[in-house]
Amino acid sequence: MTVESTTTAPTSGPDFTELGHGTAVRHLIHCPPSWDRYLLEAPGSSEEHFVLAGELPTAHPLFNDGPGHLHDPQLLTDTLREIGEFVGHQYFGVPLDRPGLFHRFALDLTDTAPWRTATAPAPHPGRAARLLTRLAVRPTHSLAGVPRGLEFRLEAAIDDVVCATGSAGLVFLMPALHRSHVAQSRRALRAAPADGPSYEESAWPVAAAEVGRRSEANVVVREDLGEPAAPGRLSTWIVPQPGSPLFAGPDRGSLSALLLLEGMRQSALLAAARSGAVDVDRAVLGSIDVRLTGYAADDLPLHCTVLSGEGAHGREREAALTVTQNGRPVADARARVVQDQDSWGLGNGLF
């Protein structure tokens, strides 16, 4: 990452790359309200502002795996996943041994037009579109000047056109407390009664095209063979991918956040596509609001239930998602799957 300020010469450091695949370098720029405390090397105690700038990736194994009509907004969720802990440790004085865990995330696309991969005329022919994300970060529940959590607000723009807003919450845990929570959760998962949905190893992955992907290796949801079909309801299994570097977690005994979010994204798109509401090749999550309610082990499948309803406009679907593991709650989310209307000649892409 390159860390620089808007008022002084840049300070060089390592660059962020997409999941270590080197497909797009991004630079984190700190825009402090005052430099007084930095002269004293004091950590932040109030809201700090950052800008994350770089080109949209063109060869990422997940975010560029699709029909190619729209960029993947999940880039923004991954942005926060990558920098959340770093910001706490580097700028707010959180000890390096305290892991940061996100407990909520919300994202709203305000305009689909900038997310299209091809516009005519292209604003900057010959180069990839630029994604600029502005972040406001506020410490919460400070003890002796060290925050126990961070609250994020974001605004994203592609080629200077604002196209998304969002927020997130991150909590930092003492190492011993985190290890204890993970161990207790794993014991409870294995002791849970088998009265919930039962995963069958013979369950097959859904077709990649039904979830907006092209590579079968990126499909993380499977059909729920034991759940009868019902109007407005879909059940899937989100299955960890053994040995996949793409969906590998941080080696803390819990499930990869990217795998969980991608599983919910795929489940919501699948439900909308099978309802006949959208063409999944030109559909996107127009909004998602996720609340993480429990630990998820990295070696057990998760059950996802999607309850769908019609949205406010014709080609969209509202969805409520509930994710459990061995009957224990993991996450709840509300999502809105929308059709990019311009691809149908029905407008300018505004929701």
Side-chain angles (χ1 to χ4, degrees), residues 280-299:
V280 72
D281 274 1
R282 298 181 183 273
V284 68
L285 289 189
S287 65
I288 187 168
D289 189 339
V290 180
R291 295 292 187 273
L292 302 176
T293 54
Y295 284 88
D298 57 3
D299 57 351

Side-chain angles (χ1 to χ4, degrees), residues 138-178:
R138 181 174 61 86
T140 61
H141 304 100
S142 295
L143 181 64
V146 177
R148 296 181 179 179
L150 297 176
E151 295 290 328
F152 293 80
R153 300 194 319 274
L154 71 85
E155 179 185 86
I158 296 177
D159 284 329
D160 301 323
V161 179
V162 175
C163 55
T165 59
S167 62
L170 178 70
V171 63
F172 291 93
L173 296 181
M174 299 291 287
L177 180 61
H178 179 251

Side-chain angles (χ1 to χ4, degrees), residues 225-293:
L225 300 180
E227 182 72 19
R233 179 186 174 94
L234 175 73
S235 292
T236 65
W237 290 96
I238 301 172
V239 182
Q241 304 280 46
S244 169
L246 189 61
F247 295 114
D251 195 24
R252 293 173 181 160
S254 56
L255 195 74
S256 157
L258 180 60
L259 174 61
L260 178 60
L261 290 172
E262 176 65 12
M264 288 192 287
R265 187 199 73 85
Q266 291 185 14
S267 297
L269 281 177
L270 182 65
R274 291 189 175 178
S275 72
V278 300
D279 170 10
V280 72
D281 274 1
R282 298 181 183 273
V284 68
L285 289 189
S287 65
I288 187 168
D289 189 339
V290 180
R291 295 292 187 273
L292 302 176
T293 54

Side-chain angles (χ1 to χ4, degrees), residues 83-238:
I83 72 169
E85 279 187 317
F86 173 85
V87 167
H89 294 151
Q90 181 75 17
Y91 295 100
F92 290 95
V94 178
L96 293 176
D97 62 351
R98 297 186 188 179
L101 303 175
F102 281 98
H103 58 86
R104 66 173 184 85
F105 181 83
L107 181 68
D108 287 280
L109 303 193
T110 55
D111 190 352
T112 51
W115 291 98
R116 296 177 194 137
T117 56
T119 57
H124 301 285
R127 74 159 175 80
R130 293 191 62 82
L131 175 65
L132 186 145
T133 306
R134 300 185 184 277
L135 297 167
V137 187
R138 181 174 61 86
T140 61
H141 304 100
S142 295
L143 181 64
V146 177
R148 296 181 179 179
L150 297 176
E151 295 290 328
F152 293 80
R153 300 194 319 274
L154 71 85
E155 179 185 86
I158 296 177
D159 284 329
D160 301 323
V161 179
V162 175
C163 55
T165 59
S167 62
L170 178 70
V171 63
F172 291 93
L173 296 181
M174 299 291 287
L177 180 61
H178 179 251
R179 289 193 297 269
S180 174
H181 282 335
V182 171
Q184 290 178 14
S185 178
R186 293 180 74 87
R187 286 195 297 268
L189 278 171
R190 281 154 178 76
D195 56 358
S198 178
Y199 176 68
E200 298 182 31
E201 292 292 341
S202 58
W204 55 82
V206 302
E210 285 194 287
V211 293
R213 297 301 182 198
R214 289 297 178 264
S215 171
E216 298 291 344
N218 287 331
V219 177
V220 299
V221 298
R222 293 175 178 257
E223 303 277 4
D224 185 355
L225 300 180
E227 182 72 19
R233 179 186 174 94
L234 175 73
S235 292
T236 65
W237 290 96
I238 301 172

